Amino acid sequence: MKDYKFLKGFLLGVLLAAVVGLGGYLGVANYISAKEAGQEETAPDSAKAKKKIQLLETLIDETYLEDADEDALTESMYAGLIDGLGDPYSRYYTEEEYKSLTEETEGSYQGIGIVMQQNPDTGVITIVRCYEGAPGAEAGVLPGDILYKVDGEEVTGTELAEVAKKIRSEDTESAQLTLARDGENDYIEVDVKKAQVEIPVVSHEMLENQVGYIAVYEFTAVTVQQYNDAYEDLMAQGMKKLVIDLRGNPGGLLTAVCDIFNNIAPEKLIVYTEDKNGEKEEYLSGKGTNIEVPLAVLVNGNSASAAEIFAGAVQDYGIGTLVGTTTFGKGIVQKVTPLTDGSAVKLTISKYYTPGGRNIHGTGITPDVEVELDEALKQKVTVSKEEDNQLQKALEVLGE
């Protein structure tokens, strides 16, 4: 059997020290533990771990029915070490996965500028959003379209990440999409040229009675500039009140939250963290001006992490009114450490606390005004502002 490329880079010692704990469920009769040798059972040392790895390699080589993928085994080994922490927020990223993560946080990527959603029961993939000005929208792709094929291959039931990877592949300059559209009898074929797409993570519009509306979908490296542009545009139009919509916002960069607060509540503590050693770190907004108009913030059960930091600071300082449902409840912070081979590891490193000292992990933030989204609206791909009862409640609150 070929020698697997296990244990490379600086992970070698750590992986050897922990691998038995990861694979201990395998009942390997030839493996003799310290306890069986008449000694007290202790954490395995590197020699024992290496011996067990060699034994597993031999078993795979001699008895496993199929050919083993050495690279897949290696990557699974690294991922398994982090999985052994039992923390859903800590994970190992392959080089390709880390590249994708970096693109997301930087706010731009090579692709066509669409957002897809997959039905877990049927496997059907629906286009739920097309970025304005991006190749998908320019080619005529519409929200609500069902994605049937990509480059001639049916994708229904294919894992969503694989479909996205296929669309964004650098092997071709364009992606051929076969779409099913409500009201059309035949499939629609669309060729979409790929390009560098800046993800529009902020959208805005002026509602009736000079109420500004800003939706923030995620906190990335481009969020601050997009938010500031939206705010300035609304102020130039004579905005008298503001709704910030954080529903469905999964979080993102803590620095983006602090920078946005420069012109909401300048030079204030936005959040502080505490690590395993009790070391605290404070994050403050910079110099700016206080928000000039009454504020309501929309939240729901999918508002998480950095979105909750934003909402928590608004609530603790009484800057605005939170409207909606209790937030997700992610009160911990992760750090991503790049490795020399292009991969990376994300680990939970601290808890965070709102300015008032609340850690909301597992409990979330209860809004000031609680209102559930109407049940009928939860099944819709797009909801108009007029029928959005949570938004209408926020407008009602601002009108009081």
Side-chain angles (χ1 to χ4, degrees):
M1 181 182 185
K2 297 178 182 178
D3 289 331
Y4 286 137
K5 294 177 285 182
F6 290 131
L7 320 176
K8 51 190 176 181
F10 76 88
L11 287 176
L12 177 62
V14 178
L15 189 56
L16 286 173
V19 70
V20 173
L22 296 173
Y25 66 92
L26 297 172
V28 183
N30 296 31
Y31 185 76
I32 302 175
S33 70
K35 187 174 184 180
E36 291 171 329
Q39 303 172 9
E40 287 297 317
E41 190 170 12
T42 59
D45 57 24
S46 295
K48 292 176 183 176
K50 187 173 182 179
K51 181 179 179 180
K52 185 164 185 176
I53 290 172
Q54 292 171 342
L55 175 59
L56 295 177
E57 289 178 356
T58 300
L59 286 172
I60 292 172
D61 186 40
E62 294 180 354
T63 65
Y64 181 61
L65 179 62
E66 308 293 344
D67 292 331
D69 184 325
E70 297 178 21
D71 289 336
L73 287 170
T74 301
E75 297 297 339
S76 296
M77 196 95 165
Y78 298 149
L81 178 62
I82 305 303
D83 287 344
L85 296 172
D87 176 11
Y89 301 109
S90 294
R91 64 166 294 183
Y92 167 78
Y93 294 96
T94 64
E95 182 176 3
E96 185 175 325
E97 290 170 339
Y98 180 52
K99 181 180 178 182
S100 177
L101 175 70
T102 302
E103 289 176 341
E104 290 177 15
T105 55
E106 288 180 348
S108 65
Y109 70 99
Q110 182 76 14
I112 65 173
I114 62 173
V115 178
M116 301 176 291
Q117 177 179 292
Q118 187 168 40
N119 186 303
D121 298 321
T122 65
V124 170
I125 297 173
T126 304
I127 311 298
V128 295
R129 189 177 170 215
C130 299
Y131 299 150
E132 185 178 353
E138 294 294 308
V141 181
L142 298 176
D145 285 349
I146 292 175
L147 182 60
Y148 177 49
K149 291 182 180 180
V150 175
D151 294 336
E153 294 184 13
E154 186 174 350
V155 294
T156 303
T158 303
E159 202 170 305
L160 198 58
E162 288 301 313
V163 177
K165 180 180 176 182
K166 184 175 180 62
I167 291 174
R168 294 165 59 176
S169 171
E170 296 179 357
D171 295 337
T172 57
E173 293 184 355
S174 63
Q176 184 185 64
L177 308 183
T178 303
L179 307 168
R181 181 173 296 166
D182 190 31
E184 298 288 341
N185 294 325
D186 297 323
Y187 289 112
I188 299 171
E189 301 284 348
V190 182
D191 283 313
V192 188
K193 189 175 179 61
K194 301 170 190 177
Q196 193 67 24
V197 176
E198 181 173 298
I199 303 172
V201 290
V202 174
S203 66
H204 74 286
E205 63 180 283
M206 185 69 81
L207 305 180
E208 292 182 1
N209 301 317
Q210 298 303 105
V211 178
Y213 172 85
I214 301 178
V216 182
Y217 304 110
E218 193 171 354
F219 291 99
T220 70
V222 299
T223 301
V224 177
Q225 187 59 56
Q226 290 185 18
Y227 174 87
N228 289 340
D229 290 345
Y231 185 82
E232 289 172 10
D233 180 52
L234 291 170
M235 288 299 292
Q237 294 182 53
M239 177 173 64
K240 296 179 180 179
K241 299 173 184 178
L242 174 63
V243 176
I244 297 177
D245 193 345
L246 299 182
R247 291 175 297 179
N249 185 317
L253 300 176
L254 176 58
T255 51
V257 176
C258 294
D259 288 344
I260 287 176
F261 257 87
N262 292 353
N263 292 317
I264 294 179
E267 299 182 275
K268 285 187 179 292
L269 173 67
I270 304 304
V271 66
Y272 66 92
T273 63
E274 185 173 332
D275 65 16
K276 64 191 298 182
N277 299 315
E279 294 292 326
K280 294 183 179 180
E281 185 170 0
E282 296 184 340
Y283 296 83
L284 289 79
S285 55
K287 294 182 179 179
T289 57
N290 287 301
I291 190 167
E292 301 174 14
V293 295
L295 171 67
V297 178
L298 287 167
V299 294
N300 65 8
N302 291 319
S303 304
S305 193
E308 293 178 288
I309 290 174
F310 187 102
V314 167
Q315 191 175 61
D316 282 4
Y317 287 123
I319 299 167
T321 304
L322 301 190
V323 179
T325 55
T326 301
T327 61
F328 184 82
K330 183 175 180 286
I332 49 179
V333 178
Q334 286 72 43
K335 178 182 179 181
V336 178
T337 302
L339 308 182
T340 55
D341 62 356
S343 61
V345 174
K346 179 174 72 173
L347 295 175
T348 298
I349 60 167
S350 60
K351 296 179 180 180
Y352 77 74
Y353 296 83
T354 69
R358 293 182 291 164
N359 176 255
I360 51 85
H361 193 64
T363 59
I365 296 173
T366 302
D368 304 301
V369 179
E370 296 187 69
V371 54
E372 287 276 355
L373 186 67
D374 286 346
E375 198 63 35
L377 302 181
K378 295 178 181 178
Q379 310 304 321
K380 300 185 68 171
V381 175
T382 57
V383 177
S384 70
K385 299 290 191 301
E386 291 73 24
E387 63 185 342
D388 184 345
N389 65 297
Q390 290 180 322
L391 172 59
Q392 293 304 315
K393 187 64 175 180
L395 297 176
E396 180 185 320
V397 168
L398 287 175
E400 292 175 353

